Amino acid sequence: MRFLLYLNLGAIVWLAGALVQLYEGAPLPWVDPAAGETAAIVEAETPPGSSSVPDAARPVAPLSIEQIMALQLPLPNPERAAEPLPATPAPRRLVLLTEGDYPPFNYRENDGDLAGFDIELARALCDRLQAECGFTLRPWHDLVPALKRGEGDAVIASMLIPVPGRESPAADDDVVFTASYYSTPGHFAARRNAVPPAATASALAGRRIAVQAGSVHQAFALTRFPNATLVPFASVERARQALAEGDVDLVFADRNALLRWTSGEGSDCCRLVGPNYAAPSFFGEGAGIALRAEDEALRNRMNDALSALVADGTYARISARYFSASIY
């Protein structure tokens, strides 16, 4: 039996030598190339109190078969190129421009702190990007000019992505937008005790629908529901009040504003009914984050981060703090 054991050990040593030749002289993982010896294992860390010997002066001991087998390291393969590690962008500081006067999206609380859906989502995006972010307030009309002057890196202020026929702000070759981070369709609201009609042109014929005068919602309703009776009001607030008081059958307005109203002061009287009406030429393609055109790489990173926030549920948790349903 001893003879067989020594024979097996000798075969393993012979095989190791053959592999070294097969790899054309490339050093094995446990060989110290600088030492010029066959193999060595670095001695354990010098225990406290013992004499310290520089690594270069340590004696080189030959490896035993047991030590070779215990290492279990892969042999080098010069035919296979090393795969590059995924690039991790270095953390950076971003200055985000916002208005701070558009609740529930961006506004100041009583203590002066910024709050709102835009603000919380922006902070989550910055965490995902591993970036340190700060906010700078600008009036609405100065947000894009401030971006172009270099006073901020991005605008997150519920700014609609410009599309033909619905450009607010106007399309600008120097400014690009991320993908939409929330949608802005039109929607109906009705009184809670009313049976809403089907959302078809024929079913809405003769129904009194409150709209804001001169709004895109009025223009859409005139086109989509030509036989309904539109009742224009000077503001969305007045249109909602008319519905709450029973003066009209329905109100047609921005879905997000109606969500906020029906989950707040209008919760006792009214609720959303029917589908979303997503018509980009009237209601746009949603709100996006604006950046300078040369910051294409940052826009791509923000789009990836936004998709990740949606996928892991972070987006839904933020949305639920401000709206009774998803606005994505």
Side-chain angles (χ1 to χ4, degrees):
M1 294 297 294
R2 260 184 206 176
F3 173 75
L4 291 176
L5 176 61
Y6 288 132
L7 182 62
N8 288 335
L9 292 178
I12 291 173
V13 173
W14 177 85
L15 179 60
L19 286 172
V20 172
Q21 293 181 351
L22 177 63
Y23 284 96
E24 300 179 344
L28 296 175
W30 53 81
V31 173
D32 181 1
E37 300 292 338
T38 303
I41 287 188
V42 179
E43 293 181 5
E45 184 177 338
T46 305
S50 63
S51 61
S52 175
V53 181
D55 290 343
R58 294 182 187 275
V60 176
L63 288 176
S64 68
I65 295 299
E66 291 80 3
Q67 288 171 323
I68 293 174
M69 302 305 291
L71 287 173
Q72 297 184 357
L73 295 172
L75 294 172
N77 186 350
E79 300 297 326
R80 181 177 177 182
E83 297 179 1
L85 295 174
T88 302
R92 57 173 293 187
R93 175 170 175 78
L94 298 175
V95 176
L96 305 179
L97 299 164
T98 194
E99 183 184 19
D101 193 27
Y102 187 54
F105 293 97
N106 56 84
Y107 60 94
R108 282 191 175 278
E109 295 183 314
N110 293 334
D111 58 5
D113 289 342
L114 273 175
F117 177 78
D118 289 344
I119 306 304
E120 286 200 48
L121 185 65
R123 288 173 175 149
L125 282 171
C126 289
D127 287 344
R128 182 73 62 170
L129 293 170
Q130 298 181 344
E132 180 185 351
C133 293
F135 294 90
T136 297
L137 298 184
R138 290 286 185 273
W140 173 261
H141 66 270
D142 194 41
L143 286 171
V144 171
L147 174 69
K148 295 168 69 173
R149 292 194 300 265
E151 296 172 9
D153 299 292
V155 175
I156 181 163
S158 290
M159 191 166 284
L160 295 185
I161 300 169
V163 296
R166 186 70 172 92
E167 297 183 346
S168 178
D172 190 324
D173 291 340
D174 296 327
V175 176
V176 294
F177 282 79
T178 63
S180 168
Y181 66 90
Y182 72 80
S183 59
T184 54
H187 211 103
F188 283 110
R191 291 184 58 79
R192 287 194 173 276
N193 58 2
V195 178
T200 64
S202 59
L204 291 172
R207 299 282 183 160
R208 291 171 57 82
I209 301 175
V211 292
Q212 182 180 8
S215 67
V216 293
H217 299 91
Q218 181 184 25
F220 178 84
L222 282 169
T223 302
R224 187 69 177 267
F225 313 113
N227 297 321
T229 301
L230 299 187
V231 184
F233 291 89
S235 66
V236 174
E237 290 74 19
R238 276 292 298 123
R240 295 194 306 232
Q241 183 181 350
L243 177 65
E245 294 172 355
D247 297 333
V248 295
D249 301 305
L250 299 158
V251 62
F252 186 67
D254 176 70
R255 187 271 317 271
N256 302 330
L258 290 177
L259 269 175
R260 185 71 171 173
W261 179 59
T262 55
S263 62
E265 59 180 304
S267 59
D268 292 336
C269 76
C270 305
R271 61 191 174 96
L272 267 65
V273 295
N276 287 327
Y277 292 90
S281 60
F282 286 94
F283 310 127
E285 292 183 345
I289 301 172
L291 304 96
R292 288 182 292 275
E294 61 264 27
D295 289 333
E296 186 79 17
L298 178 57
R299 179 177 71 164
N300 294 340
R301 288 177 57 204
M302 284 188 167
N303 280 335
D304 291 343
L306 177 60
S307 295
L309 294 179
V310 172
D312 69 9
T314 301
Y315 182 99
R317 288 191 292 273
I318 295 173
S319 179
R321 288 198 278 272
Y322 298 92
F323 304 98
S324 58
S326 173
I327 64 171
Y328 186 59

